[in-house]
Structures are given as structure tokens and as C-alpha cells.
Amino acid sequence: MAELPVLTERLVVRRFEAGDTAAFAAYRSDPEVARYQSWEHPVSEVDAARSVAAFAAADEGAPGWFQYAVALRAGGDLIGDVAVCLHNNRMQAELGFTFARAHQGRGYATEAARCVLDRVFGTGVRRVSAECDARNTASVRLLERLGFGLEGCRRGHTWIKGEWTDDLLFGLLAEDRAHAAERPDRQEIFACRPNLWVSDLTAALRFYADLLGFRVGWRWSDARSCFLDADEPTEPGTALVARDQVQIILTRTAGSHTTRLHLDVHTAAQVDRLCREWRERGADIAEPPFVRPWGMYEMRLQDPDGNVLRVSSPPAR
């Protein structure tokens, strides 16, 4: 195994150093960061220094917990840590992670954890497990992005900070990682279909379908489907055409319009999960998910310029 530190695109994954004490104490003392964790906050500088010294002296390849410090390549500031507990048999491990709130939601935890998992699986470990409080949706999403599968829920299992909590159990096998890129069920957004404005939809369909060999996926019209614009086009105003991996939405329109992007996901559950995630990050969901008249489960939101994103999947069965 290569020596630490390891550089990723934006991060440095390294051993802890004495200079990390203040930053470590700061993010571990944040009530929101500590909410679903086992330690009590605030964490004093004395306790933080003791922990950092122990982390710095630990043997990365020995059974037990090893804590990786995660810092920004630009500036070198400590922003979090990723922990791995190696089983005595050296074939199993457990994963944990903690990141400063100011650096959450930017993909840093995913980037760092993937780096650590590469090191762990590179030693011959076959399985890595993880668990989290069932209310900790951010950690659930992170584990899913890393390829972990939900294996169970222990209801009312842990008494912590004055309450009983449900624990979600996750697992990741070495062979799962090897094939993750080939598995579409691990994806969420997998396609974007641009709108192409046309003056005569019938003529456009004749060209794309009859001359270019595109198939017509659907055409729709329903008063309830109007969104943001009272004069949004009606039948025969919009249609989807597709060939091979290319999809285009043809829309008859006049005058100036903002762009509408269609983001496709595989399942209604994924639409709901994206809706929760984006709401938590402060996005204004203009229309929450529901089954539209043409049969797709869809939510809609706008970017700061007024462009409309329509996120949809087949409805739940």
C-alpha cells in the first residue's frame, strides 16, 4: 500500500498532525455535526489534542480503527475525517466519516471516502460495512453514492443522547465496486433531453420520424400540465422523438421562452430522494412530485435564470 498522503482531485488524504487540533475540535463541537454521532459536544481542545495525537500514532494496516485526516489541496485546511476499522481477520472492515458543516454538500466526503475505500480494498479486504442513524439522510445518500447496499434496519436498537434510535445497516463487497459502473440501478440522473423549438410540429415529426428514422415516444395535451406559462403549448404542440441513445423534445412555440430540461431517473423513489436532497440544500421546488396526466412521476424547479428543470420517472408500481 502506498504511503500517505494521497492526493485526489481536490483533497489531501493524510495522517493527522498536531496542527489539526483546533479545526478538529471546531467541527466536532458543532451540534449539527455531532447530532447522530456517539460523542458529546462540545469537544475541548485538550480532548481534541489527545485524540489527534492518538490518530497520528496509529498503524494504518493494523486491526482496529484508523482515522484519516481530510484536507483541502488549496490551502491545506482540515475539513473532516474518514475512519476505517479493520477486523482481526483483515478481510472485513467498517467505515465511518465526519465532515465540517461548511464543507458538506460539495462532494468532498464522497471523494475522500472513495480514496480510502480504494486503499482498503487494495489490501485484499472483501467486505466493508457501515451503519448510521435512520434519520441521518445525508449519510444514507453518501453511502448509496459509494455503492453500499442497504442490508437491514435495527429498530429501536441504540440508546444514545437520551433517546432510542433506529440503525440502518449497509454493506459493500469488493466485487460490488468492480461492477458498480456497469450497474444502472446505482445511477440517479441518467439522461437529459433538450427542447428543440419548432414552428410546425407536424412537419417536424414528418422529418424526424419519416426521414431520419426517429420513433415518436409520446405526444401530450392536458390543461393540468400547464406550468408557469398560461400559454404553454397544447396538442399537437409537444412530442418526444428518439433514436438510439438520442432523445429530443420538439415543442411548437412562438416568441421568447426559457429552456426546459427533462432529467430522467429510474424510479419514483429516486425522484423523491432528489426532491428531499435539493429542498434540504435550499432549492425552491416549484411543483413537488406527482403523477402527471401523461403517466410520468415528475417534480419541477427553476434555476436562478428561470430555466425549468423537470425531473421524472415512471410512477411507482
Side-chain angles (χ1 to χ4, degrees), residues 210-256:
D210 297 346
L211 297 183
L212 301 188
F214 278 67
R215 61 180 177 81
V216 179
W218 47 256
R219 298 171 71 167
W220 61 263
S221 175
D222 190 291
R224 291 173 297 169
S225 66
C226 188
F227 175 57
L228 300 181
D229 231 331
D231 60 351
E232 187 166 348
T234 56
E235 180 68 25
T238 304
L240 170 74
V241 295
R243 177 167 179 171
D244 302 324
Q245 300 300 309
V246 176
Q247 296 184 334
I248 301 172
I249 294 179
L250 306 174
T251 302
R252 187 184 66 196
T253 188
S256 175

Side-chain angles (χ1 to χ4, degrees), residues 41-249:
H41 68 281
V43 176
S44 70
E45 289 258 350
V46 172
D47 289 340
R50 187 180 299 115
S51 295
V52 166
F55 298 159
D59 181 353
E60 182 183 7
W65 284 101
F66 184 86
Q67 216 88 5
Y68 296 86
V70 180
L72 294 174
R73 290 184 65 169
D77 297 331
L78 181 74
I79 63 170
D81 54 90
V82 177
V84 170
C85 183
L86 184 64
H87 193 276
N88 287 333
N89 63 18
R90 298 178 184 270
M91 294 184 291
Q92 298 165 262
E94 185 176 350
L95 180 74
F97 38 80
T98 307
F99 278 76
R101 186 161 30 139
H103 297 285
Q104 294 176 7
R106 303 183 186 183
Y108 292 142
T110 303
E111 188 173 328
R114 281 179 177 152
C115 173
V116 169
L117 287 171
D118 287 342
R119 293 179 72 79
V120 171
F121 282 113
T123 66
V125 166
R126 182 170 184 267
R127 172 184 167 83
V128 176
S129 60
E131 63 179 79
C132 69
D133 189 305
R135 300 167 298 176
N136 191 352
T137 56
S139 289
V140 170
R141 291 196 303 269
L142 172 57
L143 290 168
E144 291 175 339
R145 285 195 296 273
L146 294 171
F148 282 78
L150 179 63
E151 298 179 337
C153 176
R154 297 184 298 200
R155 297 175 60 231
H157 180 266
T158 300
W159 173 258
I160 186 171
K161 299 180 179 178
E163 60 183 337
W164 290 103
T165 64
D166 296 345
D167 297 336
L168 298 181
L169 308 178
F170 292 85
L172 176 64
L173 300 180
E175 52 264 41
D176 293 337
R177 291 197 89 216
H179 300 294
E182 304 169 9
R183 296 175 61 179
D185 60 312
R186 295 295 186 194
Q187 303 172 8
E188 288 189 339
I189 297 173
F190 69 92
C192 181
R193 297 175 295 181
N195 272 33
L196 180 65
W197 309 121
V198 299
S199 59
D200 186 329
L201 185 64
T202 301
L205 283 173
R206 188 180 303 120
F207 175 79
Y208 279 94
D210 297 346
L211 297 183
L212 301 188
F214 278 67
R215 61 180 177 81
V216 179
W218 47 256
R219 298 171 71 167
W220 61 263
S221 175
D222 190 291
R224 291 173 297 169
S225 66
C226 188
F227 175 57
L228 300 181
D229 231 331
D231 60 351
E232 187 166 348
T234 56
E235 180 68 25
T238 304
L240 170 74
V241 295
R243 177 167 179 171
D244 302 324
Q245 300 300 309
V246 176
Q247 296 184 334
I248 301 172
I249 294 179

Side-chain angles (χ1 to χ4, degrees), residues 25-44:
Y27 69 74
R28 291 255 175 160
S29 295
D30 185 334
E32 289 300 311
V33 173
R35 180 182 179 191
Y36 301 117
Q37 302 281 14
S38 59
W39 68 82
E40 296 293 336
H41 68 281
V43 176
S44 70

Side-chain angles (χ1 to χ4, degrees), residues 14-27 48 52 69 71 76-78:
R14 57 170 172 79
R15 286 182 171 274
F16 269 86
E17 304 166 352
D20 294 325
T21 297
F24 180 80
Y27 69 74
V52 166
D77 297 331
L78 181 74

